[in-house]
Amino acid sequence: MPMIDTASASTDSALRPPPRHRRLTASDTPRLHRPLLWMVAAMGALAVISLGAIVIDDRTLMGESVWLKPFKFGFAFVLYGFTLAWLLSLPHKGSRVTWWLGTMFAVTGFADVGFIAVQAARGTYSHFNNFQTDTINVIGQKIFMSGVPGLFLANLIIVLIISWQRLVDRPTAWAIRAGLLLAVTGMALGYLMGYTGKQFVRDADGRVVELISGHTVLTDGSRSLAARDGVGGVMPITHWSTIGGDLRIPHFVGLHGIQVLLLAVVTLAWLAPRYRWLRSERARAALIGVLAIGYTGLLAIVFSQAIRAQPLIHPDGITLTAFGGLVAGVGMLTISIYLRTRRSVPSATTAAAVQDATAPGLRDSRTTHIRPGRTQAG
């Protein structure tokens, strides 16, 4: 029989170049998208500065600190920007196009949020403020008019390029696909804020400012040109409305679905060594699919609340019924995955017995170890 030089074979395989597109494992350390990382660093700095400014600057807009909006946008862009930087670092087809799209997102995000910070420092509004004619506001609104569609378009094209490629293991792939679709949906829902109607508000210096729209949805009978954003009761920290629907809620839920799903992937991978039924990649992928369905249902519920002028914390019977049905459906699907996977996974005792029975040398030792006075057949 010919001899095989295993040392030479292993050396040749080590020197052989890796395939151009391959599935990544947890041990891989891809190079992150640098322009997006710069944006993330800038947004992180803005969030820290804004948090400090909230403490020392007592000026308010619509009942909240002028620096709360820069803080929320900075924090949100840190989360999404870092996620996108990691995603674009995975080897994939069309990587040159997605690199430029990521750069476009970074530059546009920096400009848009930068304008929000400038307007906060000036004590006035960034969003929906199309009627103030000072130079800074006019330039800033033009940035918004081109920047916000640019962010949406960049994400949409990235979704079309990446979502259907197999870049990583199956659970992570499902999380990426569903998460990107949720993010694009969340961005699209933000455009609906432009149809809630005009309102007259006051800036930090008490001057009346006319805004073309807002984020609070009230019933038709109570809708007027009076201020409705930030009045009549708001939730702590988020400042979401408690007197009507708030379109920022589905916008927020959709945008950050990808972080929730990826966190679930990491959690399931961490639990897999402890629970035998989670060791199957197929089972974990199915669970991520169920979570994506449930999260999409949650997005639909909070969106329904917002357009029906219903506060998040005051759900009616329709909302409670829908939420209960969603929880029940997700629970049943999860249980079915558990039962199906557990039936297909052998127990530890059975697996050990199979391993012992098939181990080399053990079968022969059992057949030759015969009690005295008996034949092998007996």
Side-chain angles (χ1 to χ4, degrees):
M1 190 170 85
M3 300 294 293
I4 299 176
D5 189 351
T6 56
S8 299
S10 60
T11 304
D12 292 341
S13 62
L15 295 176
R16 188 181 301 118
R20 184 175 181 182
H21 299 292
R22 62 181 181 87
R23 292 175 56 191
L24 293 181
T25 63
S27 61
D28 289 305
T29 54
R31 184 177 180 181
L32 299 179
H33 190 281
R34 186 163 295 179
L36 281 170
L37 290 183
W38 290 339
M39 185 203 72
V40 167
M43 296 300 171
L46 174 62
V48 172
I49 293 171
S50 298
L51 192 60
I54 290 175
V55 177
I56 63 177
D57 191 345
D58 59 357
R59 294 179 299 161
T60 60
L61 290 172
M62 296 180 181
E64 65 184 33
S65 171
V66 295
W67 294 103
L68 183 60
K69 180 175 285 188
F71 170 76
K72 291 193 292 187
F73 270 82
F75 184 74
F77 269 79
V78 166
L79 290 179
Y80 194 80
F82 187 80
T83 304
L84 192 61
W86 167 78
L87 176 61
L88 296 184
S89 69
L90 301 177
H92 59 276
K93 297 177 182 179
S95 58
R96 185 180 298 274
V97 176
T98 57
W99 189 92
W100 283 108
L101 290 170
T103 303
M104 172 182 168
F105 184 95
V107 173
T108 305
F110 181 85
D112 283 359
V113 181
F115 174 65
I116 293 173
V118 168
Q119 292 292 81
R122 299 176 65 222
T124 190
Y125 300 90
S126 52
H127 288 74
F128 316 122
N129 187 6
N130 289 21
F131 295 108
Q132 284 188 313
T133 57
D134 60 276
T135 303
I136 295 178
N137 185 67
V138 171
I139 295 175
Q141 295 305 324
K142 290 181 179 179
I143 292 175
F144 261 13
M145 290 178 63
S146 59
V148 174
L151 292 174
F152 176 78
L153 182 62
N155 274 272
L156 180 60
I157 298 176
I158 289 173
V159 168
L160 296 176
I161 294 175
I162 286 183
S163 289
W164 311 114
Q165 298 188 46
R166 183 74 181 274
L167 309 179
V168 284
D169 61 286
R170 194 178 301 175
T172 310
W174 274 109
I176 290 173
R177 292 167 184 169
L180 285 175
L181 291 173
L182 285 166
V184 171
T185 302
M187 291 181 186
L189 293 178
Y191 281 99
L192 297 180
M193 298 180 194
Y195 300 94
T196 58
K198 293 182 181 181
Q199 59 178 329
F200 286 93
V201 295
R202 293 185 181 274
D203 64 14
D205 296 323
R207 296 187 294 264
V208 176
V209 178
E210 181 181 358
L211 302 181
I212 62 171
S213 189
H215 46 73
T216 304
V217 180
L218 301 178
T219 59
D220 293 335
S222 59
R223 184 177 296 172
S224 67
L225 295 179
R228 60 185 179 276
D229 291 345
V231 299
V234 294
M235 295 174 61
I237 302 177
T238 61
H239 277 245
W240 292 335
S241 177
T242 59
I243 64 169
D246 199 318
L247 287 168
R248 292 177 298 179
I249 300 174
H251 180 61
F252 173 86
V253 170
L255 277 177
H256 297 293
I258 188 169
Q259 284 89 31
V260 173
L261 294 175
L262 289 175
L263 181 61
V265 170
V266 174
T267 303
L268 290 176
W270 179 74
L271 292 173
R274 295 164 176 81
Y275 299 96
R276 190 170 58 252
W277 72 283
L278 289 177
R279 294 171 191 171
S280 166
E281 181 180 301
R282 184 176 181 180
R284 297 198 306 274
L287 288 174
I288 293 299
V290 170
L291 178 59
I293 293 173
Y295 198 91
T296 304
L298 177 64
L299 175 59
I301 289 173
V302 296
F303 174 65
S304 173
Q305 280 189 283
I307 62 174
R308 290 190 295 122
Q310 183 181 117
L312 178 69
I313 59 176
H314 299 302
D316 59 8
I318 296 175
T319 300
L320 291 175
T321 301
F323 185 74
L326 179 65
V327 171
V330 169
M332 291 175 62
L333 289 173
T334 302
I335 292 172
S336 68
I337 294 171
Y338 168 74
L339 294 176
R340 183 187 64 191
T341 306
R342 188 169 184 179
R343 283 195 300 266
S344 63
V345 175
S347 65
T349 304
T350 304
V354 172
Q355 183 178 5
D356 289 344
T358 57
L362 290 181
R363 183 161 41 188
D364 294 339
S365 65
R366 287 195 183 107
T367 57
T368 56
H369 191 72
I370 303 172
R371 294 174 59 184
R374 295 200 179 195
T375 63
Q376 184 173 350

